[in-house]
Amino acid sequence: MGIFSNSRTNSSESFDKSPSVNDVDSMSVKNAEPGTGGQFKEFIKQVISFTGDLSSLTCPAFFLNGLSLLEYGTYWGDHPSCFTAISSATDPAERMLAVSRWFMSTLWGSYASRCTGGKTEKKPYNPILGEQFHCKLGDVECICEQVCHHPPISAFYLQHEKTGVSLNGHSGQKARFKGTSIKTEQVGRAVLYVKEWDEQYMIDFPDLMIRGFLTGAAYLELSGVCTIACSSKKTNTRIEFVPKPWFGGEHNHIKGSITCDGEEVYTLSGRWSHKSYYTKKGSESKQLLFDAEAEPMAERKTAPIEEQLPIESHRLWGPVTDALQTKNYAVANAEKTKIEDWQRGVRKERAEKNEVFVPKLFKFVKDSSANDEYTSRNVAMLQDMKRKNLLDEGAWTYIDSLHERKN
């Protein structure tokens, strides 16, 4: 769910004028790793002069955070109790409130968890095509696969079979340098299925504004409006992410509403990185929706490295991560280059054989070819989504998804 993130509360910058390559040499890079200031300035020059999608730009090892972007799909299950509680709500409005609470519970992990204690977030590894990640978060199973390389797309699936709740989703990023910040649009969608009520919920993603990049202290703000639509058409949630004002104020505020049968039943407020609240219509009393600071994230339990497939994230990137942990950036770069060269060889061999890569764990279903109830519901929900241009033309779905096991 993102390229960089940080929970810092720096004052906002001025974003009107982009720096030139010549300006970079005179900049003070106070927060770069010791001994990497010169390299970091060269990297900044690449970023501000790059005309394509920044997510395809090769990143030096000292600016990597030691995680594969593929693993970010696990943040949807950070709080398993919020995920599994959705099926127990019997009223449609209460159920949408539970869905909204679970959605809020995913944000801190996705966009702030790696930057606690004043640490600066860096860039994750670009997953290789076919890369996989498997883990359990409490009783929730999570499966991720890199299903596309151009453009880069990560697919993820979470399920809790006992309560009948599952999530299919995929995400990609379109990043560009804007002013003195990096703006990232997140492409894709997530579709929640609740077996008990035979319902689906479609969710889109916020935009990311990466501030402070030029000084080596990147922090992130969310912007835009996220929608949660329901296949029953009875309920709908809209959440607006409010950027910090230029003068005064706080980061990470939200405002939103939950409607039922066209009428607002709850108002949403607060800060996604701290406490968020809901207020029932007719009441002036705010109730706690989710407390991001008080709720610990679930531990990710994975198989031992020696039992993982060579294509699984921790085994694949392990030598790079080990080198980063000791700040041996020369070794990290060398190990990273080995992986990239191997992948280039695989792509070349595939092209010579005229083979098309087919993911092992996920399938893509175009909206235009909807011929089953699940896909038809997704298409119907598209009409309620505000950011249709970023929803993609279909959905990546796990090959053994819970919604296909209705009995």
Side-chain angles (χ1 to χ4, degrees):
M1 294 170 75
I3 293 182
F4 306 88
S5 64
N6 196 293
S7 58
R8 295 184 173 214
T9 54
N10 304 36
S11 59
S12 295
E13 305 173 60
S14 173
F15 312 120
D16 293 334
K17 182 183 177 182
S18 299
S20 69
V21 171
N22 292 332
D23 292 332
V24 175
D25 289 325
S26 62
M27 288 181 177
S28 175
V29 183
K30 300 178 180 179
N31 299 283
E33 290 283 349
T36 66
Q39 297 176 66
F40 186 74
K41 286 184 179 181
E42 290 303 313
F43 180 53
I44 291 176
K45 290 178 182 180
Q46 288 185 54
V47 171
I48 64 178
S49 61
F50 197 75
T51 57
D53 182 357
L54 287 174
S55 56
S56 64
L57 188 65
T58 299
C59 186
F62 64 80
F63 204 66
L64 295 171
N65 70 6
L67 289 173
S68 172
L69 182 59
L70 186 65
E71 293 185 48
Y72 286 29
T74 66
Y75 293 124
W76 292 92
D78 274 344
H79 300 280
S81 60
C82 292
F83 186 69
T84 59
I86 295 168
S87 64
S88 62
T90 58
D91 177 75
E94 292 295 314
R95 202 152 52 248
M96 180 57 89
L97 183 65
V99 172
S100 301
R101 176 179 291 111
W102 158 72
F103 176 68
M104 294 303 300
S105 79
T106 71
L107 298 178
W108 192 87
S110 297
Y111 304 115
S113 63
R114 297 169 301 278
C115 326
T116 56
K119 295 180 180 179
T120 298
E121 177 61 299
K122 299 180 180 180
K123 189 180 183 298
Y125 307 134
N126 289 331
I128 68 170
L129 189 61
E131 182 178 331
Q132 297 178 16
F133 186 77
H134 304 257
C135 75
K136 294 201 73 173
L137 301 108
D139 293 328
V140 174
E141 182 181 4
C142 181
I143 299 167
C144 307
E145 183 178 22
Q146 190 71 9
V147 293
C148 188
H149 187 67
H150 293 296
I153 297 292
S154 302
F156 50 89
Y157 176 75
L158 290 86
Q159 73 167 23
H160 188 260
E161 195 159 2
K162 184 177 180 181
T163 55
V165 182
S166 66
L167 179 76
N168 278 287
H170 72 277
S171 63
Q173 291 77 35
K174 294 180 179 180
R176 66 182 188 275
F177 196 74
K178 183 179 181 181
T180 59
S181 303
I182 296 175
K183 180 178 181 179
T184 302
E185 293 179 330
Q186 300 195 89
V187 179
R189 64 181 77 169
V191 180
L192 182 76
Y193 172 70
V194 186
K195 182 177 180 180
E196 176 71 19
W197 307 101
D198 193 23
E199 283 181 337
Q200 290 159 227
Y201 297 81
M202 183 176 288
I203 306 149
D204 55 15
F205 312 136
D207 289 338
L208 316 178
M209 292 300 298
I210 302 159
R211 319 288 197 193
F213 166 73
L214 296 179
T215 63
Y219 69 99
L220 177 145
E221 285 189 298
L222 303 184
S223 64
V225 176
C226 281
T227 303
I228 306 175
C230 181
S231 60
S232 70
K233 296 293 184 180
K234 290 183 178 180
T235 55
N236 186 291
T237 294
R238 294 287 176 94
I239 300 173
E240 179 182 354
F241 295 91
V242 183
K244 181 186 180 300
W246 280 21
F247 302 102
E250 297 173 313
H251 286 279
N252 306 335
H253 274 272
I254 63 160
K255 59 182 180 181
S257 63
I258 298 176
T259 58
C260 185
D261 292 326
E263 294 189 10
E264 184 175 309
V265 290
Y266 296 109
T267 300
L268 305 179
S269 61
R271 301 173 68 192
W272 62 262
S273 57
H274 294 71
K275 293 181 180 179
S276 53
Y277 302 91
Y278 68 94
T279 304
K280 193 169 185 177
K281 183 180 180 181
S283 172
E284 296 183 358
S285 175
K286 293 194 303 184
Q287 303 295 319
L288 182 66
L289 181 66
F290 184 74
D291 187 342
E293 296 179 304
E295 298 286 341
M297 294 165 56
E299 178 186 358
R300 279 124 178 91
K301 295 184 178 180
T302 61
I305 292 291
E306 62 272 15
E307 295 179 16
Q308 294 182 19
L309 298 171
I311 205 72
E312 292 189 52
S313 299
H314 284 183
R315 183 170 175 181
L316 174 70
W317 295 102
V320 185
T321 303
D322 291 343
L324 289 177
Q325 289 175 346
T326 60
K327 298 186 185 300
N328 192 333
Y329 299 123
V331 171
N333 273 322
E335 293 293 342
K336 177 171 170 282
T337 299
K338 286 181 185 178
I339 296 172
E340 293 167 346
D341 288 345
W342 168 54
Q343 276 299 286
R344 277 190 283 269
V346 170
R347 287 198 297 271
K348 181 180 178 181
E349 182 179 351
R350 190 178 292 127
E352 290 172 347
K353 294 181 178 180
N354 201 27
E355 294 178 348
V356 177
F357 171 79
V358 178
K360 295 183 181 300
L361 305 176
F362 289 82
K363 60 184 178 181
F364 188 73
V365 181
K366 284 190 173 184
D367 297 328
S368 59
S369 62
N371 59 5
D372 62 275
E373 187 177 26
Y374 179 85
T375 308
S376 297
R377 286 177 175 178
N378 285 348
V379 173
M381 285 188 288
L382 290 173
Q383 307 309 310
D384 296 327
M385 307 300 290
K386 182 178 178 65
R387 298 155 63 85
K388 297 184 182 67
N389 62 313
L390 296 175
L391 289 172
D392 211 340
E393 59 181 8
W396 283 97
T397 305
Y398 181 53
I399 57 175
D400 191 28
S401 181
L402 184 64
H403 75 270
E404 295 184 341
R405 295 177 272 135
K406 292 190 175 183
N407 295 325

